[in-house]
Amino acid sequence: MIPRTEVAVTHRAPIGSATMDALKFTPIVDEKRAATTERRILVGVGIFGAIVIAFGIFAAVTTSGDEDVYSSNNSLEAIAQCEDLVQAELKAPSTAKFDSTATGFGEWTVTGTVDSENSFGAMLRSEYQCTVIVEGESIKRRLDSIG
């Protein structure tokens, strides 16, 4: 909607006078409407900018983050599978405290140490290494060494 402009006569010279300045007109602009229109435009531009930024963030998160989450989840799964294998070899598996790391992608090499009690109740530290292959729902695992 275009704001309506009204015109008011501020000075009128007598018709036929020698000093006829012409009529001086001062437009009376509805300042309230102009301010409202300007505010609406600024709000619209702000909303559009926020939508563009939100879309950019959404696109960045959904496209680049998938591989990292996949890799992180598989490394955690590889560690859990290896720790299960090591725990099965211990005399007191309930006392096991692990410190593990996994490297690789698809085929993971998990290495670490485990502190656990032996048959006499003394805490021993052992190093271990496993190979874990995670392919979708299929998991293959092998305990390479413990000692």
Side-chain angles (χ1 to χ4, degrees):
M1 174 188 266
I2 299 174
R4 198 171 83 202
T5 304
E6 298 176 16
V7 177
V9 177
T10 57
H11 172 72
R12 185 173 183 164
I15 297 180
S17 75
T19 61
M20 189 162 180
D21 257 343
L23 298 177
K24 293 184 179 181
F25 295 100
T26 304
I28 299 174
V29 177
D30 188 354
E31 291 178 18
K32 194 174 191 180
R33 281 188 185 159
T36 301
T37 302
E38 186 175 318
R39 231 178 277 124
R40 285 181 183 163
I41 291 170
L42 289 175
V43 168
V45 169
I47 290 172
F48 178 75
I51 290 171
V52 168
I53 290 170
F55 179 75
I57 291 171
F58 175 76
V61 168
T62 57
T63 56
S64 68
D66 290 346
E67 292 175 6
D68 295 336
V69 171
Y70 177 78
S71 175
S72 173
N73 287 344
N74 282 339
S75 68
L76 295 175
E77 181 64 30
I79 289 171
Q81 292 293 327
C82 183
E83 289 176 358
D84 284 348
L85 286 174
V86 172
Q87 211 165 19
E89 298 293 318
L90 300 175
K91 297 287 182 188
S94 63
T95 64
K97 297 205 179 0
F98 289 94
D99 182 24
S100 305
T101 58
T103 57
F105 188 82
E107 182 173 324
W108 296 90
T109 300
V110 181
T111 58
T113 58
V114 59
D115 295 330
S116 65
E117 290 181 5
N118 65 6
S119 50
F120 299 107
M123 289 296 281
L124 297 178
R125 175 167 286 175
S126 300
E127 293 182 355
Y128 60 87
Q129 179 175 325
C130 301
T131 301
V132 180
I133 300 171
V134 180
E135 295 174 339
E137 298 295 320
S138 171
I139 298 174
K140 298 174 186 171
R141 59 191 192 165
R142 177 182 68 234
L143 181 59
D144 298 327
S145 65
I146 187 167

